[in-house]
């Protein structure tokens, strides 16, 4: 089944974890702008170094850069099973640019999934989050501990805290989310594409509901 999906939600609502499960089940191509920027930063490319300055402060990377990266990715010719856009679009300008890119093509958007989560829970999740430096797997210092502290269960890589997962940077990310990204929910709702889900639900139940919506 081919579907083109946008995954939305505030920082740490659980987009990354959900994305992983959806990719396993459906074989979509995962397009995560956050991952692409972090990979580029790790490689030390010009794009990566520029993006890192914004990311570490919790600011949004400028639209022209972000839109360029996604546009290039969408045209690689490997989207036969559809895509899962994770972390893009985040501004109205990005959403309009995306609409232009895919309009009338087989890459047009089928559904938009929104994960809802209250702010206290986001803060708890983000400040406790640790990520594998090697494979990107997420952990939490209280609720998703690795078997050995500081070491990834999956690949043995080192776990670290993202520079933008501090309380200070998170405040900024949330502010940007409320002012710039949340208005997109109305935008996609008006197009009849949006459905919101409670990210606090048990993960199996949530996953099942989301699959039903996708299969719909
Ligand atoms: P989260 O959803 O937890 O904030 P992401 O990995 O999606 O994490 O994004 C991390 C950072 O990368 C963002 O805070 C922002 O600086 C940058 N970024 C990712 N996607 C976009 C985007 N669509 N537009 C602008 N900046 C982005
Ligand atoms: Zn790992």
């Amino acid at each position: 089944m081919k579907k083109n999906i946008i995954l939305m939600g505030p920082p740490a609502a659980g987009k990354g974890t959900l994305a992983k499960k959806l990719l396993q089940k459906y074989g979509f191509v995962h397009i995560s702008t956050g991952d692409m920027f972090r990979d580029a930063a790790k490689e030390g490319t010009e794009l990566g170094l520029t993006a890192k300055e914004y990311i570490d402060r919790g600011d949004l990377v400028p639209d022209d850069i972000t839109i360029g990266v996604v546009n290039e990715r969408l045209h690689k010719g490997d989207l036969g099973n559809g895509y899962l856009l994770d972390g893009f679009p985040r501004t109205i300008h990005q959403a309009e640019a995306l609409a232009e890119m895919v309009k009338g093509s087989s890459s047009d958007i089928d559904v938009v999934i929104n994960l809802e989560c209250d702010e206290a829970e986001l803060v708890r999740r983000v400040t406790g989050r640790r990520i594998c430096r090697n494979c990107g797997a997420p952990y939490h210092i209280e609720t998703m501990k690795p078997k050995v502290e500081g070491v990834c269960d999956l690949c043995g890589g080192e776990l670290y805290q993202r520079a933008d997962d501090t309380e200070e940077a998170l405040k900024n990310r949330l502010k940007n989310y409320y002012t710039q990204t949340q208005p997109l929910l109305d935008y996609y709702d008006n197009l009849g594409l949006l459905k919101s889900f409670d990210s606090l639900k048990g993960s199996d139940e949530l996953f099942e509901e989301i699959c039903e919506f996708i299969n719909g």
Side-chain angles (χ1 to χ4, degrees):
M1 183 186 60
K2 175 182 167 125
K3 284 279 160 108
N4 300 316
I5 300 172
I6 296 176
L7 190 52
M8 294 191 57
K15 297 190 296 287
T17 309
L18 173 65
K20 227 175 223 146
K21 289 170 93 171
L22 290 174
L23 299 179
Q24 265 173 15
K25 179 168 168 131
Y26 293 101
F28 305 130
V29 168
H30 188 207
I31 305 181
S32 159
T33 41
D35 285 351
M36 290 196 288
F37 288 143
R38 279 186 293 273
D39 287 348
K42 212 154 75 175
E43 285 162 21
T45 64
E46 201 182 319
L47 164 75
L49 297 179
T50 306
K52 189 174 180 337
E53 284 179 31
Y54 293 93
I55 292 173
D56 285 356
R57 288 196 299 264
D59 288 334
L60 289 179
V61 176
D63 278 344
D64 55 337
I65 298 179
T66 308
I67 290 166
V69 164
V70 172
N71 191 29
E72 198 174 300
R73 183 64 195 84
L74 285 176
H75 291 99
K76 268 196 181 166
D78 60 352
L79 302 181
N81 285 333
Y83 57 75
L84 185 67
L85 261 179
D86 170 359
F88 182 95
R90 260 172 153 103
T91 66
I92 288 284
H93 187 64
Q94 291 179 11
E96 287 169 350
L98 175 64
E100 274 303 307
M101 287 179 223
V102 301
K103 198 168 59 182
S105 79
S106 60
S107 294
D108 212 348
I109 303 154
D110 291 308
V111 292
V112 179
I113 294 166
N114 177 42
L115 285 182
E116 292 178 322
C117 189
D118 72 59
E119 190 167 329
E121 174 67 10
L122 296 175
V123 172
R124 192 195 65 75
R125 286 186 188 179
V126 165
T127 50
R129 175 156 71 178
R130 300 292 181 272
I131 315 263
C132 173
R133 213 179 268 291
N134 182 45
C135 75
Y139 296 86
H140 189 279
I141 54 172
E142 281 153 15
T143 53
M144 247 206 287
K145 289 185 185 177
K147 290 197 188 93
V148 179
E149 196 186 316
V151 181
C152 178
D153 291 349
L154 303 176
C155 76
E158 178 203 2
L159 304 187
Y160 78 108
Q161 180 174 35
R162 273 166 47 177
D164 61 341
D165 275 353
T166 60
E167 227 168 315
E168 177 88 8
L170 175 63
K171 256 190 223 146
N172 201 17
R173 286 158 73 198
L174 284 172
K175 191 190 82 203
N176 291 331
Y177 173 76
Y178 293 127
T179 57
Q180 312 222 51
T181 308
Q182 213 170 31
L184 286 184
L185 299 179
D186 280 339
Y187 174 92
Y188 285 119
D189 197 30
N190 288 334
L191 294 173
L193 298 176
L194 181 82
K195 185 159 180 178
S196 293
F197 297 86
D198 176 4
S199 78
L200 294 177
K201 242 185 206 160
S203 65
D204 288 346
E205 196 186 346
L206 176 67
F207 186 61
E208 220 163 89
E209 277 181 20
I210 290 176
C211 291
E212 258 170 45
F213 175 56
I214 290 174
N215 297 338

